[in-house]
Amino acid sequence: MDNYLQQQGLTEEEALKRRAEGLGNNVFLQTSRSYRQIINENVFNFINIVFFALSAIMILLRRYSDAFLVVVIILSGVIIAVCQEIWAKRKLDEIALLNRPHTTVIRSGNKRDIDPTEIVQGDIIVLAAGDQILVDGFIVGDGRIDVDESLLTGESDLISKVAQDNVYSGTFCVNGAAYFEAVKVGAETVAYKLMTGARAFRHVYTPLQQEINLIIRILLLLACFLWILVGISFTSRSYSLADIVQHAAVVAGLVPSGLLIAITLAYGTAAVRMLGQDVLIQQANAVESLSHVNVLCLDKTGTLTSNQIELQRVFPIGISETELRQKLGDYVANTTAPNRTSEAIELSCSGIKRSTKAEIPFSSARKWSAIAFDEGIGAGTYILGAPEILAASISLPESINNYIQENFERGLRVLLFAYTENLDVINEEPEKIALPSTLTPLGVVVFSDKLRAQASETLHSFNKAGIDLKIISGDNPSTVAALAKQAGLSEDINVVSGLELTIMDDSQFAAAAKSCTVFGRITPEQKAKLVQMLRLQGNYVAMIGDGVNDVLSLKQASLAISMESGSKATRSVADIILLKDSFAALPFAFLEGQRIRNGIRDSLALFIVRVFCVALLIFSTGMVADSFPLVNKHSALLAMFGVGLPTAVFPIWAKPGETTKHSSMVRSLLHFTIPATLSMTLVALLVFLLYLVRAVLDLPPGQDINDVDYTLPRTALVTTLVLCHLFLLPFLKPPARIWVAAEPLSNDWRYTIAASVLFIIYMLVLTLPPLRRFFELATLSWQDCLFLVLVAFEWSFILRAVWRSKFFNRFLGIDLS
């Protein structure tokens, strides 16, 4: 960029003055939810408002203990959720601040790296390949760049920009280098207007959140239906207003509002935990995406290898090694778009600045670059590129071809350096760029790149997690395959080149995408097409990239992952950034995603059983006994012991691994929840009716059934439900083979121990008079307690037999497992 380095830019005084005049780029786009959003979503949601309204009515009716219980339960959940989310927000905001992209400006003729917020109108900004354009402006000087504007226009074609051409924020430089002057900054930029508009109307839920949302909406409709029935019963039956409020509170408990909050907290906690492993979650749904990934596409350079490229040797053709090194040194000394390869050459080959007529920067699509020197000794056009690509213009002896192939098979990067005297063979206009028809070879250039220290262990961990690997690179297929084998992949991996893919039809391309592991000499467009094809085949695809050539494929992937050292453009489109280029942290991240999803799955199982069991009891007791099964405090007890306390530890205790073959989590739980819900409802109803008959028989002479006290039947009912829910825990996570029925053996005794502890605590609630009176429970004799424990125990073994016999599978004629 020598021919336009005369740009002086603003002075520091001018920049400060313009900032004071309001011409600075001082805008703030939130990296996470605001404090107001966190409080609003956790406090003022629909179901909380219903509970608060019911509490207010209970206070008016002087049911203070009921009102207190509702408020305490709701507020305790809200406080925990708000505190954890604020803690997670602060952690993520701190990391996001440390990883904000910086930009280079010219101030008083010198380059300065500054925070984007320090840009002011009139600044001269430096652009190089991979840089994100942060403000609007126009090109100045003689530079030329190719810009990807797909984030604004949706079109993936590169747009060439030269002097006076406009550039827009939200785009990024793919090739070349240039300066541009900032014209619109802050809220006036195109990207800011688009992003603020998008943020105002866009609230994207993850697939699991969408499924949970659907369940909550269905249950909310059910609750509304039951509320209408409760309201009708107030006008047509002899229920008091206090009874109606009690019934409405129980119905409100059918809506598992805490479930979505629990999922959000689980993912937020996981995101913060991943920071400890140098994994930055940029999108809220990235954690769940990790749990779905079954195919991982990764680039070789910068991902599998450390991107520390070193020049190993040069092999001259027709000239001396000294002359070859001089020409290579001149070549890289005059490029306006340096990269890791040119930097490696520069360290070993010194060169001088020369007058250039034209330059074509390296492109991952072309696989070559060119510079035309128009003065001095050796004037002409020099080209550095992939041997397979330059082969169309060069005829090499068999010995040279063998030498090149030997280096490929050793996992080395090989480039060919060639020359033509014709200065007019290259054209800088993007649509007219073409390789000269005839070239003279000057030498072979061989590079090495080191495998990452833990590459072998990392790839093994991916296989252990059940994730298929696809290594996609612009390098020679033999080089990529050799490095993959050095990293521990099997010797019989299938390899295909981009040149072979070019001549394939769609069906052949799809077959290659599925069967091959290594893809070499791939263009960015082919890489994006491979990712798209893998997704069309039903895979959940993660893509790891670091270079600007990876952006297209990252945008096609289900989950985009970038290295911290990658280009600014790559980091800007990534869902996850690997801080410190911690490639070895990825297996932990994948397992963490699976672990969180499995924890949510276990929680959902208990929520479904409780909600539908209570709903069925409301209908069945109304039909059979013309009564309501629970009061508000009993419903709270069941929610606390049956679901709330157990599920609090599920996300922490959950283990990674695939637990289901179904994409739908609810579908995967039907084999567990349907038998458990129906059988538990039937047993609880029978216990309720048994104790109701006992209460009727104990009525004093002169009283009829309308005078019966439902406290004892309801106590027996809620006790049965709590015990049955606790007995479900060992079946959900079987610690021994005797408990294996619906779920696989876990060998984890923590869930069974937790159930035993909760059983003891509940027995204390039944035994201690203050607690018993507070929860409006009847006194149960030790014979009653023993009887109810035996009923729950016998129910659990009948349920085990139903699960093992797959009765419901055969009855419904479908496979629920």
Side-chain angles (χ1 to χ4, degrees), residues 103-114:
T103 191
T104 303
V105 300
I106 302 296
R107 296 272 174 88
S108 302
N110 298 313
K111 291 182 179 180
R112 273 197 58 199
D113 286 335
I114 63 172

Side-chain angles (χ1 to χ4, degrees), residues 206-215 218 267 288 291-292 538 540 597-598 600-602 604-605 608 658-673 743 815-817:
T206 65
L208 177 57
Q209 286 173 322
Q210 290 175 0
E211 198 169 0
I212 299 300
N213 253 348
L214 177 61
I215 295 173
I218 291 173
Y267 288 155
E288 182 182 341
S291 70
H292 289 285
Y540 204 90
R597 190 172 190 271
N598 291 342
I600 296 300
R601 179 181 181 273
D602 296 336
L604 183 60
I608 290 175
E658 290 295 332
T659 59
T660 174
K661 63 185 178 182
H662 300 291
S663 58
S664 168
M665 184 173 287
V666 174
R667 172 75 173 82
S668 73
L669 289 170
L670 293 180
H671 74 287
F672 182 91
T673 56
E743 296 293 304
D815 183 11
L816 295 177
S817 59

Side-chain angles (χ1 to χ4, degrees), residues 532-585:
Q532 186 180 40
M533 185 63 68
L534 289 167
R535 290 190 64 185
L536 289 174
Q537 292 173 352
N539 298 299
Y540 204 90
V541 183
M543 172 69 198
I544 309 177
D546 66 333
V548 69
N549 60 305
D550 296 319
V551 171
L552 286 176
S553 52
L554 286 172
K555 290 192 290 185
Q556 290 291 334
S558 310
L559 178 68
I561 305 172
S562 169
M563 295 291 186
E564 184 182 14
S565 65
S567 69
K568 297 173 186 176
T570 306
R571 296 198 303 270
S572 72
V573 301
D575 302 307
I576 293 175
I577 295 178
L578 301 181
L579 304 178
K580 303 176 185 176
D581 292 354
S582 54
F583 180 58

Side-chain angles (χ1 to χ4, degrees), residues 687-762:
V687 168
F688 177 78
L689 294 176
L690 176 65
Y691 277 82
L692 181 60
V693 170
R694 173 176 160 181
V696 171
L697 294 176
D698 290 341
L699 284 173
Q703 292 186 351
D704 58 24
I705 194 169
N706 292 323
D707 300 317
V708 71
D709 183 3
Y710 283 91
T711 305
L712 180 61
R714 285 171 174 164
T715 300
L717 173 64
V718 71
T719 300
T720 302
L721 290 175
V722 169
L723 294 178
C724 288
H725 273 80
L726 294 180
F727 276 120
L728 275 182
L729 289 180
F731 286 113
L732 191 60
K733 292 295 177 187
R737 294 197 177 277
I738 192 174
W739 296 100
V740 175
E743 296 293 304
L745 180 67
S746 71
N747 291 316
D748 192 340
W749 283 92
R750 291 176 298 180
Y751 298 86
T752 304
I753 294 172
S756 302
V757 171
L758 291 174
F759 171 80
I760 294 171
I761 295 174
Y762 184 75

